[in-house]
Amino acid sequence: MSYLHQFFFGIYPYIAFAVFIFGSLARFEREQYTWKSDSSQMLHRGNLRLGNILFHIGIIGLFFGHLVGLLMPVAVWDALGVTHGFKQLVAMVAGGIMGTICLLGLVILLHRRLSDPRIAAVTKPGDKVLLVWILATLLLGLATIFVSAQHRDGYEMVLLMTWAQHIVTFKGDAAAYIVGAHTLFKLHLFMGMSLFVIFPFTRLVHVWSGFASVTYLGRAWQLVRPR
């Protein structure tokens, strides 16, 4: 196992997580006025609603699909009687559907942002990098479906699950499990982890506010008194 492999898949995940957490905290503390999604709806509506809905449905489905698929222990799936091959098939189908929905939405948003002169004029370089980075990560993820289709026994999927679970439980041998993984999987993992690195420095920080909005369910009623 090379030093580079050990770094990218044994050490880099912790660097990405640290930047993600502490970078978000620092931005919230120092630059709260930049903590927003920078909506361009007032400049040009166009296909914003369609692209927005498709993108968010797809990316939320992919996020929670990866979260459950990678971090739920293999023993739990075995106890439920779900074979590795069947789980891989479900992951391929669900990932393909959600990935395609997300891709359609992202292409619509990209085309709108780059083709409209008014929106392009206020688009920051960081926004372009973010959208292209998500697009590349998404395309790599969709490409891994064709790799997975060549071996449906679920063996490589279990290795990826073991890697992820060893990372979150701070086991030093995590990188060893994916030494033989296909290059597309490794690239997809690197691009995905790097999204957490750039997260605090982009408009993605508004995701935190989305999770925090749940607290409004228990918030006291706001009294509005007429004059």
Side-chain angles (χ1 to χ4, degrees):
M1 185 170 58
S2 69
Y3 291 111
L4 279 177
H5 179 87
Q6 176 62 29
F7 172 78
F8 283 119
F9 302 107
I11 300 173
Y12 185 62
Y14 301 110
I15 296 175
F17 183 73
V19 173
F20 169 63
I21 295 295
F22 294 113
S24 297
L25 288 173
R27 180 166 178 184
F28 184 77
E29 176 66 25
R30 297 173 60 86
E31 302 178 18
Q32 291 189 21
Y33 286 109
T34 68
W35 192 282
K36 55 185 177 178
S37 61
D38 282 331
S39 175
S40 57
Q41 183 176 355
M42 295 182 64
L43 296 176
H44 177 68
R45 186 182 297 273
N47 291 323
L48 175 63
R49 176 173 294 183
L50 176 62
N52 232 351
I53 291 174
L54 290 175
F55 174 73
H56 282 87
I57 288 176
I59 203 162
I60 290 172
L62 289 172
F63 175 78
F64 286 105
H66 280 70
L67 191 68
V68 174
L70 288 174
L71 297 184
M72 184 173 288
V74 178
V76 174
W77 295 108
D78 293 340
L80 294 173
V82 179
T83 64
H84 300 165
F86 181 73
K87 180 183 180 300
Q88 176 175 304
L89 180 62
V90 172
M92 290 167 57
V93 174
I97 293 173
M98 287 298 172
T100 302
I101 292 174
C102 185
L103 179 62
L104 290 174
L106 183 58
V107 168
I108 292 173
L109 294 177
L110 262 173
H111 177 265
R112 174 181 172 276
R113 183 160 289 276
L114 299 179
S115 63
D116 187 275
R118 297 180 69 193
I119 300 177
V122 299
T123 298
K124 303 173 184 176
D127 295 332
K128 297 178 182 179
V129 171
L130 174 62
L131 290 173
V132 172
W133 198 280
I134 294 176
L135 178 62
T137 306
L138 187 58
L139 290 175
L140 285 169
L142 289 171
T144 61
I145 295 176
F146 299 99
V147 177
S148 298
Q150 298 174 11
H151 47 82
R152 301 183 183 179
D153 56 357
Y155 174 74
E156 192 160 22
M157 177 199 65
V158 172
L159 292 180
L160 292 168
M161 291 170 62
T162 306
W163 167 80
Q165 291 164 26
H166 278 222
I167 286 294
V168 299
T169 52
F170 302 100
K171 294 182 179 178
D173 61 344
Y177 284 92
I178 57 172
V179 170
H182 195 280
T183 303
L184 283 177
F185 284 109
K186 293 182 179 180
L187 288 173
H188 181 57
L189 287 174
F190 170 74
M191 296 291 286
M193 291 186 292
S194 297
L195 271 177
F196 288 91
V197 175
I198 65 177
F199 182 101
F201 312 104
T202 65
R203 64 176 62 200
L204 282 179
V205 290
H206 78 277
V207 175
W208 283 117
S209 301
F211 286 112
S213 64
V214 178
T215 59
Y216 278 86
L217 297 175
R219 186 179 180 181
W221 290 98
Q222 183 178 7
L223 298 178
V224 180
R225 301 183 186 276
R227 291 184 177 182

